[in-house]
Amino acid sequence: MSAIYITGIAVFSVFAQWLAWIFKVPAILFLLLVGLMLGPISGQLNPDLLLGDLLFPVVSLSVAIILFEGALTLHFRELKGIGKIVRNLCSIGMLATFIIITLAGLYILEIDWRVAAVLGAVLVVTGPTVIAPMLNAMRPNQDIDRVLRWEGIVIDPIGALFAVLVFEAVSFVGDGEIVSHTVWALFSTLGVGLGIGLVSGWLTTLLIRKEWLPYELHKFGILALVLFSFTLSNHLSHESGLLAVTVFGIWLANQDDLEIDSVLEFKEDLSMILISSLFILLAARLEIADLMLLGLNTTLFIAVVLLIARPICIAISTFNSELSFKSRVLLSWIAPRGIVAAAVGSVFALSMIEKGIPDAEKMVPLIFTVIIVTVVLQSLTATPFAKFLGVRQPSPNTLLIIGANHVARAIAKGLQEQSISVHLSDPAWENCKMARMDGLQCYYGNPQSEHAERYLPMTQLSKVLALSPNRHHNALGVQYFSHLLNEQSVFSLRSSTNHAKANKDSATFLSRQILFGEQGSYAKLSSLIAKGGKVSATKLTEEFNWQKYLDVNKEALPLFIITENTKDEEVTEAQPFLNEHDTPPKEGDKIIALQPPKMTVLKESYLQNDSEAVNS
């Protein structure tokens, strides 16, 4: 029977993630609903009965892997560039939130001070998994988007580490030992956790750099080291394991010459599996009676979290900054709690219950109640509130180009010279490096990854162009962004018919291979650019209309039309040429085309007296 239940958890985890993908909402909502349906509502799943004594080890090891994966994204060099506001949010703002929530737990809920302190520490963490879908729907201005997105990324590992430290501190104080022994025990635990984390990071770095561990064993080997570090640290000093794996991950993340992209991608996939399964298990352990105990005290506590702790955190963090008042108001409302709070809090609660600490059993229901209220309430109200305040972006206007090869770079430079916002993406570092040297923004990695969701300007994307020579990369990008944006905003270069048949391309990918018309193949574009072709823009006039343009530029390959914008002069959009254009370009439009070398001289001769023409 156990196999059936474990299989069911896996199937329902995928189902919940799929529903979240369909409705474009945080997956935590459906995972929570599934857990409640399987557990307290139907009584079909009892995690304590299913796993028995393995429940605590399974939850603890899963949380260790989740924290390690989060720590892998914390780069010290990025902390320097995220701005004063985000740094404040993850330091003094976090401490202010912790103090206010702890006091609320102590005086409003009247729970044990140790439970109140750990609850306050756990609830400082927001996290990118709940923030990103909300931002994609809300589309706030760049200042708000940047602050919320980076806060979620940075506070995830920092907040979890802070919660671990608070938990360890109150655990020792609660033992009733003399002060000197308590302080010694705390510092020895911190020493063991930090020491094992640093040694594990150094050893892993050495294994990879010296190539003592073959590449195909990097993922499995590091996973084994994470589990070993966590277990050894806990064995040497109780509850120090989470600190060890967090330090381990931070060490690896900040080794500049260490190639761990495949490890990070593997950990992202593993974390999704663990998070989904773990959240269903934790939700199934709840009692409906616990969640229904929303009396006056609990309601006041949640009100403090939403209406006092967060606004004070934002007020302190944004003091003397240039952020507008309306932006601060919206930031004061958006702070949904997520998976990390639930997972870490559940581990702490299980440990505190084992120690017999009063009120420890109340912590998990309280955390889940805060998660439910913040995610549901803020998901429903964020977009209307942003509209009311007038802090939404007017309309997305950034082109994402999949690929940073020489073709993509040439086209991107042509667009950028016409004030078109462009962002490139490529999994090849050399291509990204060349793009950045050309002054182009480029994301290094796969644009459909969870990591890309954190670092690409998703809320600003209007169109996606797949310009990679790799058909597989184009197909994945088209599939992913057709759902995220809409199918009519995603385009791809043509692939050969043989490739399509051999690889059984999806209907969506086949239908979107219309970019730049029948001749818009990568081979054609690459050949023209290799021979010295240039991407240039020409403005149509009454004298030099579309027909005359075609007569002069017979061998040119039109790429985009920039339509003269009479409604909003600040937003400039480029419409790509497709297989067919029902409406020909008109006077005032600009044509961006790839000009063969010999056409450049002819065009300049024809347009030398036309002051309206723009060549670049």
Side-chain angles (χ1 to χ4, degrees), residues 358-430:
D359 300 320
E361 72 281 355
K362 296 179 181 179
M363 190 160 67
V364 172
L366 284 169
I367 291 172
F368 272 82
T369 300
V370 172
I371 290 172
I372 294 169
V373 173
T374 55
V375 172
V376 173
L377 186 60
Q378 292 172 10
S379 293
L380 293 176
T381 60
T383 300
F385 196 29
K387 286 181 180 178
F388 172 76
L389 292 172
V391 292
R392 295 190 83 198
Q393 295 181 41
S395 60
N397 66 331
T398 297
L399 281 173
L400 174 64
I401 296 180
I402 297 175
N405 48 74
H406 70 292
V407 172
R409 294 196 301 271
I411 292 175
K413 282 191 288 185
L415 290 168
Q416 189 165 272
E417 287 169 1
Q418 299 304 315
S419 301
I420 304 295
S421 177
V422 185
H423 210 110
L424 290 84
S425 172
D426 202 296
W429 171 243
E430 285 300 319

Side-chain angles (χ1 to χ4, degrees), residues 382-540:
T383 300
F385 196 29
K387 286 181 180 178
F388 172 76
L389 292 172
V391 292
R392 295 190 83 198
Q393 295 181 41
S395 60
N397 66 331
T398 297
L399 281 173
L400 174 64
I401 296 180
I402 297 175
N405 48 74
H406 70 292
V407 172
R409 294 196 301 271
I411 292 175
K413 282 191 288 185
L415 290 168
Q416 189 165 272
E417 287 169 1
Q418 299 304 315
S419 301
I420 304 295
S421 177
V422 185
H423 210 110
L424 290 84
S425 172
D426 202 296
W429 171 243
E430 285 300 319
N431 286 341
C432 274
K433 184 172 70 173
M434 294 294 292
R436 293 173 184 177
M437 289 174 64
D438 288 339
L440 299 167
Q441 297 186 81
C442 185
Y443 169 74
Y444 170 48
N446 293 316
Q448 61 271 11
S449 66
E450 181 183 338
H451 187 265
E453 192 173 84
R454 301 177 183 180
Y455 290 89
L456 275 175
M458 293 294 189
T459 60
Q460 302 169 32
L461 299 183
S462 60
K463 294 180 180 63
V464 177
L465 312 178
L467 301 182
S468 172
N470 188 311
R471 183 206 58 82
H472 181 64
H473 289 168
N474 289 341
L476 288 177
V478 167
Q479 285 290 113
Y480 179 77
F481 286 100
S482 290
H483 172 76
L484 191 65
L485 303 177
N486 63 71
E487 193 171 308
Q488 302 307 312
S489 300
V490 181
F491 310 92
S492 175
L493 294 174
R494 296 174 62 84
S495 297
S496 71
T497 306
N498 291 335
H499 280 167
K501 290 180 179 179
N503 293 283
K504 298 182 180 179
D505 287 334
S506 69
T508 300
F509 183 46
L510 290 172
S511 68
R512 303 315 298 163
Q513 294 183 53
I514 54 177
L515 190 58
F516 307 148
E518 294 290 340
Q519 297 184 10
S521 66
Y522 182 84
K524 171 83 171 179
L525 294 168
S526 179
S527 175
L528 287 172
I529 292 174
K531 293 174 182 177
K534 301 291 183 183
V535 176
S536 62
T538 304
K539 188 171 184 178
L540 300 182

Side-chain angles (χ1 to χ4, degrees), residues 143-163:
D143 288 337
I144 297 174
D145 182 270
R146 185 170 181 263
V147 168
L148 286 176
R149 201 174 292 273
W150 274 102
E151 180 194 13
I153 293 169
V154 177
I155 207 171
D156 199 1
I158 290 179
L161 177 58
F162 175 70

Side-chain angles (χ1 to χ4, degrees), residues 132-199:
M134 199 176 294
L135 289 175
N136 292 339
M138 182 171 48
R139 289 196 296 104
N141 62 43
Q142 290 189 26
D143 288 337
I144 297 174
D145 182 270
R146 185 170 181 263
V147 168
L148 286 176
R149 201 174 292 273
W150 274 102
E151 180 194 13
I153 293 169
V154 177
I155 207 171
D156 199 1
I158 290 179
L161 177 58
F162 175 70
V164 170
L165 297 177
V166 170
F167 171 70
E168 291 177 356
V170 302
S171 295
F172 287 112
V173 173
D175 283 340
E177 304 287 349
I178 60 175
V179 175
S180 60
H181 180 77
T182 299
V183 172
W184 167 253
L186 175 60
F187 276 95
S188 65
T189 298
L190 295 178
V192 169
L194 287 169
I196 290 181
L198 293 173
V199 169

Side-chain angles (χ1 to χ4, degrees), residues 159-271:
L161 177 58
F162 175 70
V164 170
L165 297 177
V166 170
F167 171 70
E168 291 177 356
V170 302
S171 295
F172 287 112
V173 173
D175 283 340
E177 304 287 349
I178 60 175
V179 175
S180 60
H181 180 77
T182 299
V183 172
W184 167 253
L186 175 60
F187 276 95
S188 65
T189 298
L190 295 178
V192 169
L194 287 169
I196 290 181
L198 293 173
V199 169
S200 298
W202 172 81
L203 178 61
T204 303
T205 304
L206 186 66
L207 289 173
I208 294 176
R209 284 177 177 164
K210 297 292 186 180
E211 298 183 359
W212 292 341
L213 188 68
Y215 181 79
E216 57 269 20
L217 285 180
H218 282 186
K219 301 172 185 178
F220 184 42
I222 292 178
L223 174 61
L225 282 170
V226 169
L227 298 178
F228 177 76
S229 300
F230 173 77
T231 306
L232 177 62
S233 185
N234 272 349
H235 177 73
L236 295 177
S237 184
H238 192 55
E239 306 299 351
S240 64
L242 294 179
L243 175 60
V245 297
T246 304
V247 172
F248 186 3
I250 293 173
W251 173 281
L252 292 184
N254 290 278
Q255 303 303 306
D256 293 332
D257 57 343
L258 195 66
E259 180 58 50
I260 58 169
D261 292 323
S262 61
V263 175
L264 181 57
E265 186 176 347
F266 170 67
K267 291 296 184 294
E268 283 182 354
D269 294 338
L270 185 59
S271 289

Side-chain angles (χ1 to χ4, degrees), residues 14-321:
V14 174
F15 180 65
Q17 291 281 358
W18 178 76
L19 287 176
W21 177 76
I22 290 291
F23 292 102
K24 300 179 182 178
V25 298
I28 194 172
L29 291 174
F30 289 106
L31 291 170
L32 175 62
L33 183 60
V34 168
L36 293 175
M37 291 294 295
L38 293 177
I41 294 177
S42 68
Q44 294 298 311
L45 177 62
N46 186 334
D48 295 88
L49 185 62
L50 175 64
L51 297 175
D53 293 338
L54 289 176
L55 177 63
F56 183 72
V58 167
V59 174
S60 299
L61 290 172
S62 299
V63 172
I65 294 171
I66 293 168
L67 289 187
F68 175 74
E69 187 270 331
L72 282 177
T73 65
L74 185 58
H75 299 274
F76 290 141
R77 65 178 180 274
E78 292 175 350
L79 293 179
K80 299 176 182 178
I82 61 176
K84 178 183 176 182
I85 294 175
V86 178
R87 287 198 299 272
N88 289 345
L89 283 171
C90 299
S91 53
I92 57 174
M94 183 182 73
L95 291 175
T97 303
F98 162 68
I99 293 171
I100 293 169
I101 295 178
T102 299
L103 292 175
L106 189 61
Y107 293 107
I108 295 177
L109 297 176
E110 297 180 346
I111 56 179
D112 186 276
W113 72 271
R114 291 164 291 182
V115 177
V118 174
L119 181 65
V122 167
L123 290 179
V124 303
V125 181
T126 55
T129 55
V130 286
I131 286 291
M134 199 176 294
L135 289 175
N136 292 339
M138 182 171 48
R139 289 196 296 104
N141 62 43
Q142 290 189 26
D143 288 337
I144 297 174
D145 182 270
R146 185 170 181 263
V147 168
L148 286 176
R149 201 174 292 273
W150 274 102
E151 180 194 13
I153 293 169
V154 177
I155 207 171
D156 199 1
I158 290 179
L161 177 58
F162 175 70
V164 170
L165 297 177
V166 170
F167 171 70
E168 291 177 356
V170 302
S171 295
F172 287 112
V173 173
D175 283 340
E177 304 287 349
I178 60 175
V179 175
S180 60
H181 180 77
T182 299
V183 172
W184 167 253
L186 175 60
F187 276 95
S188 65
T189 298
L190 295 178
V192 169
L194 287 169
I196 290 181
L198 293 173
V199 169
S200 298
W202 172 81
L203 178 61
T204 303
T205 304
L206 186 66
L207 289 173
I208 294 176
R209 284 177 177 164
K210 297 292 186 180
E211 298 183 359
W212 292 341
L213 188 68
Y215 181 79
E216 57 269 20
L217 285 180
H218 282 186
K219 301 172 185 178
F220 184 42
I222 292 178
L223 174 61
L225 282 170
V226 169
L227 298 178
F228 177 76
S229 300
F230 173 77
T231 306
L232 177 62
S233 185
N234 272 349
H235 177 73
L236 295 177
S237 184
H238 192 55
E239 306 299 351
S240 64
L242 294 179
L243 175 60
V245 297
T246 304
V247 172
F248 186 3
I250 293 173
W251 173 281
L252 292 184
N254 290 278
Q255 303 303 306
D256 293 332
D257 57 343
L258 195 66
E259 180 58 50
I260 58 169
D261 292 323
S262 61
V263 175
L264 181 57
E265 186 176 347
F266 170 67
K267 291 296 184 294
E268 283 182 354
D269 294 338
L270 185 59
S271 289
M272 176 180 286
I273 296 170
L274 293 175
I275 285 172
S276 302
S277 304
L278 187 62
F279 205 69
I280 289 177
L281 281 172
L282 296 176
R285 295 187 72 247
L286 295 172
E287 296 292 340
I288 293 297
D290 293 333
L291 291 176
M292 296 303 291
L293 290 176
L294 286 177
L296 178 61
N297 289 349
T298 307
T299 304
L300 287 175
F301 174 76
I302 294 175
V304 168
V305 173
L306 291 173
L307 304 177
I308 297 179
R310 181 62 175 181
I312 289 178
C313 170
I314 294 298
I316 294 173
S317 302
T318 60
F319 179 74
N320 203 28
S321 72

